[in-house]
Amino acid sequence: LELDVVLAAVARVMLAFAGLQRVQLCTGHTRQLLPDFAKQSFGAVFMDLWGSQYTEALSLLQRHHLLAPHALLCADNVLRTAAGEFLWRVVNPKAPPGFRTLLLPVTEVVNQDEEDWMSVTVIHRGDSNVFEVPPAVRELQGNSERWRQRATNVGMDPEEFEDVAQHTKAVLRSVGIEPVELKK
């Protein structure tokens, strides 16, 4: 699923170049498109959204039973877009064991100096792991949506994105969420 028609066109070219004929690419918003897949289930889902949108996408996937048993769910850019509530649901060390998540530090392709995080989750059961979200994470979720609107409407410079990343990192670490350390 891709919201942006230009990016969808680029993705179609890349899929054709890779010879992936079994991949279906749909253009539109997850809210409108995911219910159309109600009779299917996915073994793997890659999400590249703004942080405030990940929780809704996960809820939609679960509500419509679109994740196969032991499905792999990858979420990109979860640090720089402040995906606090989503990470609380899939990484939270106090959560029920429905999700097994590895939170990885990664660098941005365009700028190797920018740290971001990617979550890779195996879903062991389909419930939504709904439990109390700490106030700091709830506040981060609200900030994420405000930052998304700002980035979309007027833009944000690299320093602002770095500030978002540092603030997000501090909030998540305060509740026990941080990426694994990769050995060099």
Side-chain angles (χ1 to χ4, degrees), residues 75-183:
D76 196 18
N77 302 318
V78 293
L79 173 65
R80 297 188 86 73
T81 63
E85 187 174 324
F86 171 79
L87 290 174
W88 179 254
R89 291 176 184 272
V90 299
V91 181
N92 175 9
K94 298 173 185 152
F99 300 124
R100 294 283 299 160
T101 300
L102 189 59
L103 188 56
L104 301 166
V106 295
T107 56
E108 287 296 316
V109 173
V110 176
N111 184 346
Q112 295 292 308
D113 295 330
E114 291 180 0
E115 178 189 8
D116 209 334
W117 297 348
M118 177 184 287
S119 68
V120 181
T121 303
V122 175
I123 300 178
H124 290 286
R125 61 171 201 258
D127 65 3
S128 59
N129 278 355
V130 177
F131 41 86
E132 190 62 32
V133 177
V137 174
R138 192 173 307 114
E139 182 181 344
L140 182 63
Q141 184 75 7
N143 287 337
S144 176
E145 180 57 21
R146 283 187 287 285
W147 292 323
R148 182 189 71 79
Q149 290 173 2
R150 178 177 166 79
T152 302
N153 295 327
V154 296
M156 289 173 60
D157 61 41
E159 292 79 20
E160 289 175 292
F161 274 108
E162 184 58 27
D163 290 345
V164 168
Q166 293 307 314
H167 177 73
T168 301
K169 192 182 296 188
V171 169
L172 293 174
R173 285 194 169 139
S174 76
V175 295
I177 297 173
E178 52 190 314
V180 297
E181 281 191 43
L182 299 177
K183 295 180 181 180

Side-chain angles (χ1 to χ4, degrees), residues 29-66:
H29 197 286
T30 54
R31 258 185 239 128
Q32 283 75 43
L33 295 177
L34 281 179
D36 294 342
F37 292 96
K39 300 269 190 262
Q40 301 176 42
S41 64
F42 302 106
V45 174
F46 178 83
M47 299 191 302
D48 189 1
L49 305 167
W50 190 270
S52 60
Q53 298 171 323
Y54 280 108
T55 302
E56 179 185 16
L58 175 61
S59 294
L60 285 167
L61 287 165
Q62 291 177 314
R63 184 177 321 126
H64 296 290
H65 308 287
L66 297 174

Side-chain angles (χ1 to χ4, degrees), residues 5-15:
V5 293
V6 174
L7 293 177
V10 171
R12 282 189 179 90
V13 170
M14 298 301 287
L15 290 168

